[in-house]
Amino acid sequence: MDKLIVEGGNRLSGTIRISGAKNACLPILAATVLTEDECVISNVPELKDVSTMINILSSLGKKIERAGDTVKVMAGRVSNVVAEYDLVSTMRASIVVLGPLIAKYGRAKVSFPGGCIIGPRPIDLHLKGLRSLGADLKVEEGYIVASAKKLKGGRAYLGGHFGSSVLATSNTMLTAVLAVGETVIEDAACEPEVSDLAGFLTAMGADIEGAGTPTIRIRGVKNLAGASYRVIPDRIETGTYMIAAVMTDGCLFLENARPEHNLALIDKLTECGTLVSERADGVEVCRSGAPPRSTHITTLTYPGFPTDLQAQMMSLLTLTDGISVITEKIYPERFIHVSELNRMGANILLEGPTAIVKGVKDLSGAQVMASDLRASAALVLAGLVAEGRTEISRIYHLDRGYEHLEEKLTAVGANIERESE
Ligand code: EPZ
């Protein structure tokens, strides 16, 4: 297993090119099941999760070619409608092949996605959305067994205990596009990744209105054609490097980023005293020399502050001149990174879904363990500013969602290396 060695103290400066969005790619790749034509998806990052989705589609019988950041899904029908446990259990997002299989082939058998370290992640809203279109869904031997003679448009209210659900909205949309009649999704997720999926489906010939708002209208069509599509840049990768610039008293230009997808973060970084300049081709983030000011964060569904940047923002807030309160409203238990940051000298107290972060002057390098994708990124950020050497193990978590992280950071001045254990 690889680990990362980070020597802290270097100021970051220069340009980082932002990759395509993992969380847009996964449902877009799954959508290719809806057509028998060829699809060409570009700006696809080289990530473990993307490979997993490609392996799932291949296991369903799709022929796939990859060249650089372009994935070509060849014309042809699937030959199998079973998505096996071995693949699905490694990535929750695999659940989004369920909708397209039911919509296009009238049946599917998809392994129940496993739990996750960031908290219980039920799929009741997915099942609710698909059932509202007439799908018959049973859970048998750890699999969701689905069938649908004729899907019929309907109303799906997808508001859950923690608000809207990104993938339940996407799964329902992926099913409704081939249903007879109109479907209305209420309390739909508004994340840019949902809009990007709607963009791809529309390019395939789907009839969708209101993606990016809480009410999405889908008028079913008979068939969907193949399409070529370019995926949006990754706003969470963007946010992670914006925070890195501030933490290292640096100045970074994030090329290809879409600042309008990170307004909640820009608002908080500005409160912390950061200079953020939005440009047509990206965003520039520079710290003004003074230590960042403390601020309070509450994670919410989009356009609120993203839960996928909570851990990284906590790393930044460990080094402010005051006390910051972080409330996690999407995954109330998503604080596995706290003990590792405290191991590096941070002063963080947990109180249920809230973390109280008392700013300290310095962090010190230590041996720490990555636990999930975003927590790992938070430890890398802490390592960049800590005194001395930080050793981060289990970085396979990072490879799931950050393309060429250590190369990108090294190119702007970081002292970071990957070592095989
Ligand atoms: C997406 O997951 C992202 N993953 C997650 O990013 C992200 O954390 C999450 O949205 C929230 O922004 C992908 O897009 C692949 P949800 P998703 O359904 O869709 C509860 C990363 O780091 N819920 O919006 O699975 C759920 O437990 C990953 O890249 C139900 O109760 O998240 C959570 O508390 C991690 N029932 C809340 O809703 C359901 O049926 C939001 O989850 C579904 C969800």
Side-chain angles (χ1 to χ4, degrees):
M1 259 198 286
D2 290 3
K3 61 185 174 187
L4 277 179
I5 311 295
V6 190
E7 289 289 342
N10 291 13
R11 183 176 179 278
L12 300 188
S13 92
T15 297
I16 292 181
R17 184 169 174 74
I18 297 299
S19 303
K22 165 181 81 81
N23 292 346
C25 271
L26 301 177
I28 285 174
L29 286 168
T32 62
V33 167
L34 291 164
T35 182
E36 297 175 27
D37 297 347
E38 178 182 287
C39 294
V40 180
I41 321 285
S42 58
N43 204 24
V44 177
E46 280 178 49
L47 297 171
K48 180 86 180 49
D49 279 7
V50 171
S51 309
T52 303
M53 184 55 82
I54 289 175
N55 292 342
I56 289 174
L57 295 177
S58 307
S59 75
L60 299 176
K62 282 280 186 181
K63 302 271 173 297
I64 298 174
E65 286 176 7
R66 177 166 198 152
D69 74 354
T70 301
V71 172
K72 193 187 275 184
V73 181
M74 316 306 276
R77 290 172 63 81
V78 306
S79 52
N80 157 39
V81 293
V82 182
E84 299 286 352
Y85 172 82
D86 299 351
L87 283 170
V88 173
S89 59
T90 65
M91 182 180 73
R92 278 190 55 78
S94 324
I95 187 76
V96 282
V97 297
L98 180 62
L101 283 170
I102 299 172
K104 176 70 180 167
Y105 297 93
R107 59 198 179 87
K109 186 176 174 187
V110 175
S111 168
F112 212 92
C116 168
I117 196 161
I118 64 178
R121 298 181 70 182
I123 57 164
D124 55 310
L125 297 172
H126 294 249
L127 305 183
K128 184 180 177 187
L130 273 56
R131 283 193 175 116
S132 73
L133 303 176
D136 174 43
L137 303 162
K138 289 191 257 330
V139 178
E140 288 169 6
E141 297 161 0
Y143 279 76
I144 302 151
V145 179
S147 63
K149 291 202 182 50
K150 196 170 181 194
L151 290 170
K152 198 167 164 310
R155 177 186 296 279
Y157 178 81
L158 295 184
H161 193 57
F162 302 97
S164 58
S165 159
V166 176
L167 289 179
T169 301
S170 300
N171 228 341
T172 307
M173 193 158 63
L174 284 161
T175 314
V177 284
L178 290 180
V180 176
E182 179 172 280
T183 296
V184 181
I185 303 178
E186 298 286 6
D187 204 355
C190 304
E191 272 69 3
E193 294 77 24
V194 172
S195 305
D196 210 30
L197 173 62
F200 177 57
L201 291 168
T202 304
M204 296 169 83
D207 182 349
I208 302 172
E209 229 177 81
T213 77
T215 302
I216 304 179
R217 263 174 215 289
I218 303 132
R219 279 173 282 280
V221 295
K222 282 216 168 358
N223 283 304
L224 290 171
S228 296
Y229 193 80
R230 184 174 177 76
V231 172
I232 55 172
D234 196 312
R235 65 192 168 100
I236 305 299
E237 184 195 25
T238 304
T240 303
Y241 291 129
M242 288 169 76
I243 293 169
V246 180
M247 288 182 72
T248 61
D249 193 13
C251 200
L252 289 178
F253 175 61
L254 304 174
E255 191 187 12
N256 193 32
R258 298 262 296 269
E260 68 273 23
H261 290 166
N262 265 309
L263 296 181
L265 174 67
I266 291 173
D267 177 58
K268 285 297 167 187
L269 291 181
T270 308
E271 267 180 33
C272 293
T274 310
L275 303 172
V276 179
S277 332
E278 301 177 28
R279 293 188 2 201
D281 57 348
V283 63
E284 185 174 62
V285 181
C286 299
R287 186 163 121 200
S288 55
R293 290 193 289 270
S294 57
T295 185
H296 305 316
I297 303 280
T298 299
T299 64
L300 296 165
T301 53
Y302 190 87
F305 193 92
T307 174
D308 293 347
L309 285 174
Q310 178 256 98
Q312 299 93 315
M313 195 65 189
M314 184 184 284
S315 278
L316 182 153
L317 296 174
T318 60
L319 291 163
T320 69
D321 56 3
I323 292 183
S324 308
V325 176
I326 298 178
T327 306
E328 177 52 70
K329 288 233 168 146
I330 305 296
Y331 300 108
E333 297 158 27
R334 194 178 198 173
F335 287 120
I336 309 111
H337 40 285
V338 168
S339 55
E340 296 306 284
L341 289 172
N342 281 343
R343 185 192 298 276
M344 296 178 75
N347 181 344
I348 308 164
L349 194 65
L350 273 183
E351 196 55 54
T354 300
I356 296 131
V357 186
K358 187 165 183 318
V360 295
K361 205 165 161 324
D362 299 305
L363 294 177
S364 61
Q367 284 183 287
V368 291
M369 196 186 294
S371 53
D372 69 273
L373 171 55
R374 308 304 172 183
S376 339
L379 298 177
V380 171
L381 297 181
L384 290 174
V385 294
E387 280 173 14
R389 174 191 162 102
T390 298
E391 216 175 280
I392 307 167
S393 58
R394 299 188 181 187
I395 54 164
Y396 53 84
H397 291 292
L398 268 174
D399 297 336
R400 297 187 55 171
Y402 289 93
E403 188 181 41
H404 311 315
L405 177 127
E406 65 265 28
E407 292 88 343
K408 288 186 179 187
L409 285 171
T410 303
V412 292
N415 184 341
I416 181 168
E417 264 177 35
R418 178 181 292 248
E419 264 184 26
S420 301
E421 267 180 332

